[in-house]
């Protein structure tokens, strides 16, 4: 990989907002439609929730870039990995592993126990996290949207 195509991780900022909204909409459609259904995904995207989330998190998130393209987005909230998405066009390049390691390092500076939530039926994401040393703590139904979720945790090394 040339230096210009090596992944770089940096803080996200307001100028990234449009690219992040596009990345989130594209990734949510590609990754969540198979188990949540197209109608539910389009309703979520149409609600403006993506734009609201980005506006609320862009100043405290991280992006992974390849060249001048934003390929992924990660957000921490308290001791939680609140979001980790990699553009589906860049899956299987190690970007998710790099972003998760980055988020874990930052969080473990202040916390001994980390958590994250994932859709129960998101087999690819759940296998990824379990393969990175996370453990499933519980399954539950998310009260606002009624979807089945899992909570995962990881202890400090």
């Amino acid at each position: 990989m040339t230096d210009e195509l090596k992944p770089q991780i940096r803080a996200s900022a307001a100028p990234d907002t449009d690219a992040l909204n596009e990345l989130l909409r594209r990734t949510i459609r590609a990754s969540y439609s198979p188990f949540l259904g197209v109608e539910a995904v389009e309703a979520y995207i149409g609600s403006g929730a993506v734009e609201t989330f980005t506006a609320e998190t862009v100043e405290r998130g991280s992006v992974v870039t390849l060249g001048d393209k934003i390929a992924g987005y990660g957000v921490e909230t308290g001791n939680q990995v609140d979001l980790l998405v990699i553009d589906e066009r860049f899956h299987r390049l190690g970007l998710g592993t790099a972003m998760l390691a980055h988020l874990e390092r930052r969080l473990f500076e202040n916390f001994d126990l980390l958590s994250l939530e994932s859709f129960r039926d998101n087999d690819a994401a759940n296998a990824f996290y379990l393969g990175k040393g996370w453990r499933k703590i519980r399954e539950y139904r998310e009260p606002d949207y009624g979807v089945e979720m899992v909570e995962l945790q990881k202890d400090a090394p």
Side-chain angles (χ1 to χ4, degrees):
M1 206 175 272
T2 66
D3 282 345
E4 65 194 36
L5 291 181
K6 282 188 179 175
Q8 301 292 320
I9 298 176
R10 63 167 173 81
S12 56
D16 299 321
T17 298
D18 289 343
L20 291 173
N21 286 334
E22 183 181 321
L23 170 118
L24 289 172
R25 286 189 295 266
R26 185 173 46 254
T27 303
I28 289 167
R29 282 184 175 112
S31 297
Y32 299 169
S33 293
F35 58 88
L36 291 177
V38 172
E39 185 176 315
V41 166
E42 291 304 323
Y44 177 79
I45 290 171
S47 75
V50 168
E51 292 78 9
T52 299
F53 180 82
T54 303
E56 292 173 353
T57 61
V58 69
E59 295 293 339
R60 60 185 168 84
S62 299
V63 294
V64 59
T65 60
L66 282 175
D68 63 350
K69 293 189 180 353
I70 293 177
Y73 187 39
V75 176
E76 312 151 32
T77 301
N79 74 325
Q80 185 174 46
V81 174
D82 195 6
L83 176 76
L84 171 56
V85 296
I86 301 298
D87 188 319
E88 50 107 14
R89 299 175 301 177
F90 301 109
H91 282 188
R92 306 276 183 236
L93 297 177
L95 304 180
T97 297
M99 179 61 88
L100 183 60
H102 168 80
L103 296 172
E104 289 176 359
R105 270 193 308 278
R106 290 176 45 90
L107 288 167
F108 280 135
E109 290 175 3
N110 298 304
F111 302 99
D112 292 328
L113 179 68
L114 308 184
S115 71
L116 64 81
E117 297 170 328
S118 179
F119 292 107
R120 184 195 66 199
D121 295 333
N122 192 345
D123 296 334
N126 295 329
F128 171 76
Y129 293 125
L130 293 171
K132 301 299 180 195
W134 290 75
R135 67 186 181 285
K136 184 166 67 168
I137 299 302
R138 68 182 176 116
E139 293 186 12
Y140 65 98
R141 180 177 290 271
E142 197 281 331
D144 293 332
Y145 296 101
V147 296
E148 297 298 322
M149 304 292 291
V150 295
E151 180 182 1
L152 297 104
Q153 291 182 342
K154 187 172 187 178
D155 294 304

